[in-house]
Structure formats: structure tokens, C-alpha cells
Amino acid sequence: MSLIHPQAEFHPEPEDTARQWRHKLRREAGKLLPGERVASCGVKRTGEIVELWRDSAGGCYWKGVETCGSIWTCPVCSAKIAARRAEEVKALVQAHEKPGRAVYMATFTMRHSARDKVAETRATVTKAWSRMQAGKAWKGLKAHFHVMGTVRALEVTYGGNGWHPHLHVLFFTDRPLGELGERRLADRLFDRWHGIIDRMGGTTERGGFDFRKASDATTAAEYVAKWGAGYEVAKGPLKEAAGCSVWDLLKRSTNGDHLAGVLFMKYAKAFKGARHLTYSRGLRERYDLRDPAEDLDLALDGEEGGERVDPETGEVINTEAGCLYTVDSVRWSFVCRMKATALLLDIAREEGRQGVENWFDQHHATSPYRPEDFGPKRPRREKRIYREALDRRTGARTAAEVAAEAKSYVRKHDEEQAMREAFRRDPYEVFDRLDDRLRR
Ligand SMILES: [Zn+2]
């Protein structure tokens, strides 16, 4: 039985750019996970002002706001991490490439049912991989097939059979294996995996095991690092049998599918702290490559080719980056309230500084501040006067009106609110309750 509401079909708005979608989904993730870093990603200021930057390639991004770097829960950060991690892996595969050497791609799965808890299946899959790599048998297998290292990536989808955590693994071999050798390596790997999963109380099928030679470095890199990058692919209706991505759950949640939102929360809890990608010991050192970058470092800087650091040399690419526009704190909260963080970047990219200015003018959001106000500290009273002046000019509602609306919202979404509070107390209790309700 599927846990996703069939009536909550997802309808994308065609005029939205990919970036606007990512920002929208990030806001949704922040709503579902109010205590997590993703809730302040791209919104919370790190200083008094926020700057809109453009690099020499025309890519635009905000400077002066927080970056969460969460590969599992942030659609904006995970897309950046995926793209840059792929470059990192690609450099490794290219360093390995030499006649006689090869890279193989394998997917390890286990059978799962809708009743399985995501935290448990995730733990089983990652533990099984640690066991896979331990002991004499693994050493023997590696020596026999000249496997000198692996890169392992953890992924998860959600489908008709519930959560489906699985591993994508690259095997780096030193000698040619030949067709027969390849088949025997595949058999040995599957048998070992099957035995381990079996001992851990799970089952796995040969049909779920995929093993093939990587045709080139890009293919191999994308095989392990595509997580977070490919969510646009499934913009249309979801094919549940194939499983949907966690970003699809977020999309459904924006569309009012409460259960999809809860599933996302459940997943976020289970994957918090899990490593997405690991290199086997000594693999990168063998080619004198730098230590792999942390997720957060990969998520920093600009997006879409913004100011970037070369993953291998550490040098900054695009040094001609410059500040295009400055937004003060009051207008920044206006931008966030209008949910225009992505829209303004798109405008800046298309129309430049003038376009951004026009947008603020159209919304009568001219700055109440004078340039000298950007000093180290403004008196609080003065700040309040400015804010009121701006609110009058933007036609914003009074504080009482806002409070009344918030109250009615809470009343209307009473169940949701209660659910979230219960989630903070004990998430599993909420999930169990929901699961029970669905099975009835
Ligand atoms: Zn983020």
C-alpha cells in the first residue's frame, strides 16, 4: 500500500525557474524542520546587510546570509554539493584512468516493505557496507580482482514499498579483468552482500543488483554524486513503482499533502548526520589528491557558477566577482516575506542592477535608510521608526492585523500544529500514529 495521498498530484508552475523551485522547496523544508539549519539557510542574515553578487560568468548569488550545507534536507545546498562533489570524483577517476585500469559501478539494495522504518533500513544498509569491507575475505577478494579502492554513496527513494535506502559504489581496479573476470567479480560481490544482509535479518535479490563498467569519468562521477542534482527530472506526475525522491515529497508537501511532509520529517530525522559519500582509505592519497571537501564548504560561495574554489587546487575560479546591489535588513525581510530570494537573483541575471532596482520600486520598497545608517550600530528606536516608515510606504499591515491572521492560521492548521509539537517531543510516536491510521 502506498502511503502517499493519491489526490495530492503535483502541478508545477511552468514559469518558475529551477532556482525558484529549489528556493520554494527549501522554504518548505524549513517549515517542516523549524529547528534545523535548513530553516535559516539563505534567509537569516549574518550581518547588517545582504549583498547581491554577480560573477564574471553572470551567475548571481546572495552574500551575507547563512548557508546550511545539508545534503539530505536542503534542495539548494544539495544541488551545489552534488555538482561540486561530482567534479571531485571526476578528477579522481581521471587520475586513475590508464590503459588496463577500470572503474566499475555497482548498486547494492535490500528488499524492504512499507512497514520498515526508514531509520532501521538506513542503518542496515550502511552497517552492511562496513561489514562488507571488513575481514580477510574482503582482503582476498580485493587482491584477487585487483580492486584498489572504492567510493560509496548513500541514497534513498520512497515508493510503493516504502523507504528504499541503497548504495551506489565505484570499484577502482588496477588490472584488466576481462569479460569473465567482470562477471565473477559481480557474482562475488553480490554473494557477499547477500550473505551479510541475510545475517542481518534482511533479504536481497539479484534483480536489484546492478553492476557494469563505467564508460567515462563523467558517468562514474554522476553515478555516485548525482544526489540532490536530479530533482527536476520528475516534474510531472510521479511513478510510484520506481520510487520518488525526497524532493518530490517536499513538492507534494508544498501542494498540501500533509503526509508527504511528515514522511520528509521522518526521513530527515533518520538521515541526520549520515555521510553521503565516502572514499576508501588511501584511494585519494594514491593520486596525491587533496582531502575531500566537507559538504558545507561545497555548499558555500555562489551558485550557478558563482565565485568558486577549484576542488583540486584550492584556487578561486572567477575572480572578477563583484557586488551588484546592497539590501538593508528591513528590505531583506521584505524580500523574504515576498518569497523573492530566487526571483531577484533571476532578475539580476537577466536584467542586471536596473532590474533589481525596478523590482523594489514596483513594490514601493525603497530603502528607509540613508547610506550613513550602515554604521556599526543603529539605535533601536531609530530602527523602529524606519521600519514603521517603510511599512506605511509598502502598505504593510499593522502588527495587530498580522497577529490576527497568524492566530487564524494556527486555528485552521490546528492538527498540523499539534502534529509538529508532538514531533518535537517524540517523532516516532507521531509516525507510528500516522502509520496506524493509514493501515486501517
Ligand atoms: Zn541550505
Side-chain angles (χ1 to χ4, degrees):
M1 183 198 70
S2 162
L3 293 180
I4 294 182
H5 285 182
Q7 70 270 28
E9 203 52 79
F10 176 71
H11 301 290
E13 294 150 55
E15 68 272 20
D16 284 352
T17 64
R19 170 151 57 196
Q20 288 177 40
W21 259 114
R22 285 203 189 96
H23 283 226
K24 188 174 181 177
L25 296 184
R26 179 173 62 184
R27 284 194 294 274
E28 187 66 19
K31 261 202 281 181
L32 294 168
L33 311 165
E36 299 293 332
R37 284 173 60 100
V38 65
S40 48
C41 183
V43 178
K44 195 171 172 196
R45 284 179 289 112
T46 53
E48 273 291 283
I49 55 165
V50 177
E51 292 175 337
L52 202 167
W53 277 56
R54 183 165 64 181
D55 65 44
S56 54
C60 292
Y61 55 96
W62 295 110
K63 241 185 176 178
V65 285
E66 283 190 4
T67 302
C68 73
S70 326
I71 184 141
W72 300 119
T73 54
C74 180
V76 178
C77 288
S78 69
K80 290 185 216 171
I81 295 168
R84 291 162 193 179
R85 188 70 78 198
E87 290 298 314
E88 194 182 86
V89 176
K90 195 175 158 187
L92 171 67
V93 176
Q94 280 168 341
H96 175 76
E97 268 173 352
K98 226 172 95 175
R101 289 179 179 170
V103 176
Y104 293 93
M105 314 186 292
T107 301
F108 296 91
T109 61
M110 63 177 278
R111 267 187 65 175
H112 55 104
S113 85
R115 295 185 71 94
D116 292 335
K117 286 191 159 58
V118 59
E120 284 164 16
T121 44
R122 195 224 96 188
T124 308
V125 165
T126 47
K127 262 185 219 148
W129 179 246
S130 310
R131 289 188 192 172
M132 183 98 173
Q133 288 181 296
K136 264 192 196 150
W138 178 250
K139 266 193 188 150
L141 189 151
K142 271 173 68 184
H144 187 83
F145 292 98
H146 307 283
V147 174
M148 33 87 48
T150 58
V151 177
R152 169 235 87 146
L154 173 65
E155 291 196 7
V156 65
T157 52
Y158 184 85
N161 282 332
W163 292 100
H164 179 49
H166 53 277
L167 301 173
H168 289 248
V169 186
L170 297 181
F171 290 87
F172 291 71
T173 58
D174 245 355
R175 304 264 162 77
L177 294 181
E179 234 175 83
L180 186 67
E182 283 173 15
R183 273 214 301 278
R184 284 183 49 225
L185 173 59
D187 288 344
R188 289 276 294 276
L189 286 173
F190 177 75
D191 288 347
R192 190 168 165 76
W193 177 256
H194 183 268
I196 289 167
I197 292 287
D198 196 46
R199 282 195 293 280
M200 293 176 82
T203 50
T204 177
E205 284 168 349
R206 185 68 204 227
F209 179 68
D210 172 48
F211 185 89
R212 58 204 144 102
K213 199 171 178 174
S215 54
D216 56 70
T218 310
T219 311
E222 281 174 0
Y223 193 70
V224 288
K226 68 176 186 302
W227 175 261
Y231 87 92
E232 293 97 333
V233 187
K235 262 196 172 175
L238 304 169
K239 291 186 189 71
E240 287 197 9
C244 66
S245 77
V246 296
W247 315 122
D248 291 318
L249 292 178
L250 268 188
K251 281 185 194 168
R252 282 166 177 261
S253 180
T254 64
N255 208 29
D257 185 342
H258 177 53
L259 187 57
V262 172
L263 284 168
F264 185 83
M265 281 154 52
K266 190 173 182 173
Y267 143 81
K269 175 95 183 164
F271 274 72
K272 190 174 179 177
R275 281 203 80 86
H276 166 243
L277 189 135
T278 49
Y279 297 89
S280 65
R281 209 175 299 139
L283 179 61
R284 293 183 65 81
E285 288 82 345
R286 192 181 152 127
Y287 297 112
D288 291 326
L289 296 171
R290 294 190 322 145
D291 286 344
E294 291 296 323
D295 285 353
L296 181 59
D297 294 334
L298 292 178
L300 285 173
D301 312 322
E303 42 186 331
E304 293 189 5
E307 182 190 326
R308 282 189 47 194
V309 174
D310 186 290
E312 293 312 321
T313 63
E315 280 167 17
V316 173
I317 310 167
N318 294 330
T319 46
E320 288 170 53
C323 177
L324 200 72
Y325 201 77
T326 306
V327 183
D328 59 65
S329 58
V330 175
R331 282 193 306 161
W332 179 250
S333 43
F334 178 72
V335 170
C336 294
R337 208 161 49 191
M338 296 292 286
K339 301 184 171 82
T341 51
L343 175 70
L344 277 171
L345 293 179
D346 288 341
I347 290 176
R349 197 184 162 92
E350 295 296 315
E351 302 163 39
R353 184 191 167 86
Q354 192 56 50
V356 178
E357 250 165 36
N358 291 347
W359 185 87
F360 279 108
D361 286 348
Q362 275 161 19
H363 292 87
H364 311 289
T366 43
S367 178
Y369 294 131
R370 301 174 301 267
E372 58 267 30
D373 291 330
F374 291 117
K377 270 258 181 311
R378 268 192 315 276
R380 188 174 281 176
R381 183 178 156 273
E382 202 183 341
K383 206 170 167 178
R384 201 194 69 220
I385 291 167
Y386 282 133
R387 193 183 289 269
E388 283 169 2
L390 179 76
D391 282 351
R392 270 199 302 282
R393 235 183 288 172
T394 56
R397 297 150 303 170
T398 63
E401 282 168 334
V402 173
E405 195 186 308
K407 242 188 209 159
S408 85
Y409 178 87
V410 169
R411 218 173 297 131
K412 212 163 66 195
H413 295 77
D414 196 27
E415 193 191 7
E416 192 179 0
Q417 192 69 24
M419 204 68 101
R420 268 190 214 147
E421 273 159 22
F423 179 76
R424 263 191 290 259
R425 280 199 309 274
D426 179 15
Y428 289 102
E429 187 201 309
V430 180
F431 301 143
D432 291 344
R433 219 158 61 197
L434 264 172
D435 282 353
D436 285 347
R437 198 192 300 170
L438 282 157
R439 282 204 199 90
R440 252 182 268 137

